[in-house]
Amino acid sequence: MSTASHNYGLPFLAELFVPKDAVLHGGMWSLMSAGAWAGTYLASHLRSHQVASLFAASFLLAIMISLSFAGSQLWIVLLFLGLAGMFTGIAQVCRNTILQGAESRIRGRVMGVQNTLSRGGFFVGFLAGPSVVGFWDLSGMVILAQAVFAGGMLLLLSYLYMNRKNV
């Protein structure tokens, strides 16, 4: 749902800065992609615990997306979108590295469940987005979705910490 929130919101955010011009919207996605590329490069050179890095990058991704939608100046928005892309790249490398180390049977199940939850969350997020924007504003909708994501990450991290013999 958090991904759907900023996918839904980016065209509206671009419209706030440059009305009736899709170039800025495309530029925002390009900047996030460049950040993701830099993040994958950075993650491949980091020597850290993959699970901790995945949680940290995912949490920081949610914060950067929230800050980008709360920004009032274009350069600040673009800076946070680039950083969000970087943390996306780091999280993807960590997640894929963890999955590659799992048994094939477990990896297949995890990927199946992840894809099902991801597509379902994306669907629900796009359905809920317009209603939430109608109740709050654009930044409120994105910040709410990112807070739910970050809260879920903290709950999962707490669960793993309490059951750390399994990690």
Side-chain angles (χ1 to χ4, degrees):
M1 290 185 338
S2 65
T3 301
S5 73
H6 69 271
N7 276 289
Y8 174 76
L10 268 179
F12 297 110
L13 183 62
E15 181 81 14
L16 291 174
F17 290 102
V18 183
K20 309 265 190 254
D21 187 8
V23 174
L24 180 58
H25 177 232
M28 288 173 162
W29 277 113
S30 296
L31 188 59
M32 286 184 72
S33 295
W37 177 81
T40 58
Y41 180 80
L42 179 63
S44 68
H45 289 82
L46 292 176
R47 302 287 178 236
S48 62
H49 191 267
Q50 293 295 323
V51 174
S53 296
L54 173 62
F55 280 102
S58 296
F59 188 77
L60 290 170
L61 165 64
I63 291 171
M64 293 302 123
I65 289 291
S66 296
L67 290 173
S68 67
F69 277 83
S72 60
Q73 295 184 358
L74 182 58
W75 71 271
I76 292 173
V77 169
L78 295 175
L79 172 69
F80 287 131
L81 287 174
L83 290 171
M86 183 184 74
F87 290 120
T88 298
I90 292 171
Q92 288 174 345
V93 167
C94 293
R95 185 186 68 237
N96 291 336
T97 302
I98 292 167
L99 280 175
Q100 288 173 356
E103 291 178 32
S104 293
R105 180 179 58 85
I106 294 170
R107 180 176 43 240
R109 288 181 183 170
V110 167
M111 290 175 72
V113 169
Q114 181 222 353
N115 283 329
T116 300
L117 293 175
S118 176
R119 296 297 105 207
F122 207 68
F123 175 70
V124 169
F126 266 99
L127 283 178
S131 298
V132 175
V133 168
F135 185 69
W136 285 331
D137 61 354
L138 180 63
S139 62
M141 181 266 301
V142 172
I143 291 169
L144 174 66
Q146 299 306 316
V148 168
F149 174 70
M153 294 299 292
L154 290 175
L155 285 173
L156 183 57
L157 185 60
S158 298
Y159 173 79
L160 291 174
Y161 179 75
M162 296 172 110
N163 296 303
R164 61 183 157 220
K165 65 180 180 267
N166 297 330
V167 178

